[in-house]
Amino acid sequence: MSDDRNAHGLTRRALIESTLIAGAAAAAAPLLSVAEARASESASVPAFDLDEATIAQLAAKMEKGELTSRSLCEKYMARIAVLDRSGPMLRHILELNPDALAIADQLDAERKGGKVRGPLHGIPILIKDNIDTHDRMTTSAGSLALAGSIAARDSFVAERLRAAGAVILGKTNLSEWANFRSTHSSSGWSGRGGQARNPYALDRSCSGSSSGSGGSVAANLCAAAIGSETDGSIVSPSSTCGIVGIKPTLGLVSRAGIIPIAHSQDTAGPMARTVADAAILLTAIAGADSRDEATQKIPSGPRIDYAAGLRRDGLKGAKLGIVRAKGFGYSGKVDALLDDAVRVLRAEGATVVDPAELETVSQYDNEELLVLLYEFKADLNKYLAGLAPGNPKTLKDLIAFNNANRDRELTYFGQELFLQAEEKGPLTTKEYVDALAKCRELSQKKGIDAALEKNKVDALVAITGGPAWLIDLVNGDYNTGSDSTPAAVSGYPHVTVPTGFVQGLPIGLSFFGRAWSEATLIRFAYAYEQATTARRVPQFRAHAVEV
């Protein structure tokens, strides 16, 4: 079989063209049909020569002339064609970049001429469809209301990726509006893309809202991806999809050009199969930006290379506190994984305080929602006002659009959060001001900071969340435990890394700590990853492994 044909005999060019067409027509088939589901259960997944390839390995092959950026893009595009709208029908990709191959050619020419921009030069990266790109791709947050909306300017994240030499390969599916539309939503569903499916068990959720980014990385549809998080939207899909996710400190990565939920918690971040790859990606997208005042708080000093100095013995001498609230106690099998992780941490030379609880956990959940509702209305209205004529301009417009298109947008769940947010007043309202102050005090000073100081530890460790739940378009998602909220509300960094499996479903281990402590957390996560090598390639099973 030649390199230009896949296991089904299709030429690479035909596969690429079919995928581009499928991406453009995604809204025509938003839900997996019974026939599709049955076909996907028996679909065979062809071998892929880039399975688990790291950014460093891909760069080395390009340096040796064994691969080019164009050939890399073509291989990933062909992989997407085989897995995303056929075979397992993952539904992780909303559209491919029609200019990707031309961009790859330009970067190949630069490499041939002796110019290499850095470790991401020529590397194909997918980004979440709430991140603006000023090109021929749309930015829609997965909603049909913004289908066809072209950003007037690149987001800061897209600008940094392009400057680093990455090829933005396409846009990933997500929980529509970053999962801030309904109180009973199904994570990974959007009006444009339909229901994303977990590559480890196709009847289970990828979690959200960065569902397509997490699933794409896990399924080897790209070298790495960018997600975004308000509370759990990077770390949760990373955990359920068996990959590494980094939710940075608020302000380390500019939010400019990202469709918002709430400015007090929103951030973009990397999702990758290895800690080193996630660190490379974070280095590329971090930095100050005049369009986002939060980035002005980045500590002064030399720019940090988060991939530099990663050491196999990075846990030696570390002092870590184990958090057993929130994510613990839902499942004995998951709890056992945390106990196993504690043994590994100690064996690797860390001093472990177990437990080291967050005394204020769950004391600000109601206030968090209030803050998000107020900020969502204010921040989204500001974003929408800057769109081209013909697009919705307010949250009220979006509510009206959904009501007018109920058969396409409100078939499975409603827009309760939209309606609640629309009722909120300005950000000067006392209810909002008080709620925000309470969130900051209980999550920061009396939360993470207090736990670190009381237990004299460098970072806190917890299970990221429980196993992926069954997709349920009738009742929506259900809770299997999560430890995302303290770092999310405080705006502090959070790194998750694979730690094990429960009946074939991945589970992540979280490291979180003080603001701007990414380098330390990444060092701990890398050493833990190297000690455990817990990640496994997904097998695209129809269901979780039976025991």
Side-chain angles (χ1 to χ4, degrees), residues 196-272:
R197 311 171 79 198
N198 194 303
Y200 289 89
L202 300 175
D203 61 348
R204 292 185 178 259
S205 176
C206 291
S207 186
S209 64
S210 304
S211 316
S213 294
S216 295
V217 171
N220 285 274
L221 304 187
C222 57
I226 300 292
S228 70
E229 174 163 332
T230 304
D231 187 341
S233 290
I234 289 173
V235 297
S236 184
S238 293
S239 177
T240 59
C241 291
I243 63 170
V244 176
I246 301 177
K247 196 283 293 185
T249 302
L250 186 76
L252 183 64
V253 177
S254 171
R255 287 86 50 88
I258 300 178
I259 299 176
I261 290 180
H263 61 265
S264 64
Q265 293 183 206
D266 289 351
T267 181
M271 304 172 78

Side-chain angles (χ1 to χ4, degrees), residues 326-366:
K326 296 279 276 190
F328 192 83
Y330 286 83
S331 162
K333 295 175 181 177
V334 175
D335 294 351
L337 289 177
L338 180 55
D339 294 336
D340 291 342
V342 170
R343 284 190 284 272
V344 171
L345 295 172
R346 285 178 169 146
E348 291 299 308
T351 299
V352 176
V353 177
D354 184 10
E357 298 298 2
L358 291 162
E359 295 180 0
T360 58
V361 72
S362 298
Q363 293 182 17
Y364 46 89
D365 289 352
N366 292 335

Side-chain angles (χ1 to χ4, degrees), residues 311 313-321 345-346 348-353 456-459 461 511 520 523-524 527:
R311 307 192 319 270
D313 65 349
L315 282 165
K316 188 174 182 180
K319 297 178 180 179
L320 304 173
L345 295 172
R346 285 178 169 146
E348 291 299 308
T351 299
V352 176
V353 177
K456 296 180 173 55
V457 293
D458 304 314
V461 177
F511 296 82
T520 298
R523 173 164 56 89
F524 295 160

Side-chain angles (χ1 to χ4, degrees), residues 356-364 437-455 460 486 490 492:
E357 298 298 2
L358 291 162
E359 295 180 0
T360 58
V361 72
S362 298
Q363 293 182 17
Y364 46 89
K438 183 175 181 180
C439 283
R440 285 177 171 166
E441 181 180 30
L442 293 183
S443 66
Q444 295 177 350
K445 182 178 180 181
K446 294 184 178 179
I448 292 176
D449 292 342
L452 293 171
E453 292 166 9
K454 178 181 178 180
N455 296 285
L460 300 172
S490 64
Y492 290 178

Side-chain angles (χ1 to χ4, degrees), residues 280-517:
I280 289 170
L281 204 49
L282 180 61
T283 300
I285 63 175
D289 176 21
S290 61
R291 291 190 285 165
D292 185 350
E293 63 179 11
T295 65
Q296 305 309 310
K297 297 178 182 179
I298 297 173
S300 59
R303 180 177 171 83
I304 297 176
D305 180 351
Y306 293 100
L310 294 178
R311 307 192 319 270
R312 172 64 180 78
D313 65 349
L315 282 165
K316 188 174 182 180
K319 297 178 180 179
L320 304 173
I322 307 301
V323 177
R324 291 184 177 268
K326 296 279 276 190
F328 192 83
Y330 286 83
S331 162
K333 295 175 181 177
V334 175
D335 294 351
L337 289 177
L338 180 55
D339 294 336
D340 291 342
V342 170
R343 284 190 284 272
V344 171
L345 295 172
R346 285 178 169 146
E348 291 299 308
T351 299
V352 176
V353 177
D354 184 10
E357 298 298 2
L358 291 162
E359 295 180 0
T360 58
V361 72
S362 298
Q363 293 182 17
Y364 46 89
D365 289 352
N366 292 335
E367 286 76 15
E368 180 192 12
L369 179 57
L370 266 179
V371 169
L372 299 189
L373 290 169
Y374 274 97
E375 293 187 2
F376 181 68
K377 180 182 179 181
D379 295 350
L380 185 61
N381 282 347
K382 182 178 180 180
Y383 175 88
L384 294 172
L387 296 182
N391 287 298
K393 293 297 184 178
T394 64
L395 175 57
K396 189 174 182 179
D397 291 344
L398 294 177
I399 292 170
F401 177 91
N402 290 338
N403 285 331
N405 294 272
R406 300 186 69 87
D407 59 330
R408 297 189 296 164
E409 281 287 5
L410 303 181
T411 304
Y412 305 112
F413 49 88
Q415 53 180 340
E416 300 89 354
L417 294 176
F418 271 22
L419 295 170
Q420 292 175 35
E422 179 59 28
E423 294 175 355
K424 298 303 179 186
L427 299 185
T428 54
T429 305
K430 185 177 187 302
E431 180 184 50
Y432 164 75
V433 173
D434 290 348
L436 179 61
K438 183 175 181 180
C439 283
R440 285 177 171 166
E441 181 180 30
L442 293 183
S443 66
Q444 295 177 350
K445 182 178 180 181
K446 294 184 178 179
I448 292 176
D449 292 342
L452 293 171
E453 292 166 9
K454 178 181 178 180
N455 296 285
K456 296 180 173 55
V457 293
D458 304 314
L460 300 172
V461 177
I463 286 292
T464 309
W469 52 89
L470 289 167
I471 294 168
D472 186 346
L473 288 168
V474 176
N475 299 305
D477 298 340
Y478 57 89
N479 187 12
T480 60
S482 172
D483 271 305
S484 65
T485 297
V489 177
S490 64
Y492 290 178
H494 184 169
V495 180
T496 182
V497 62
T499 192
F501 290 80
V502 172
Q503 292 179 229
L505 299 173
I507 304 293
L509 188 73
S510 292
F511 296 82
F512 52 100
R514 291 183 176 85
W516 318 112
S517 63

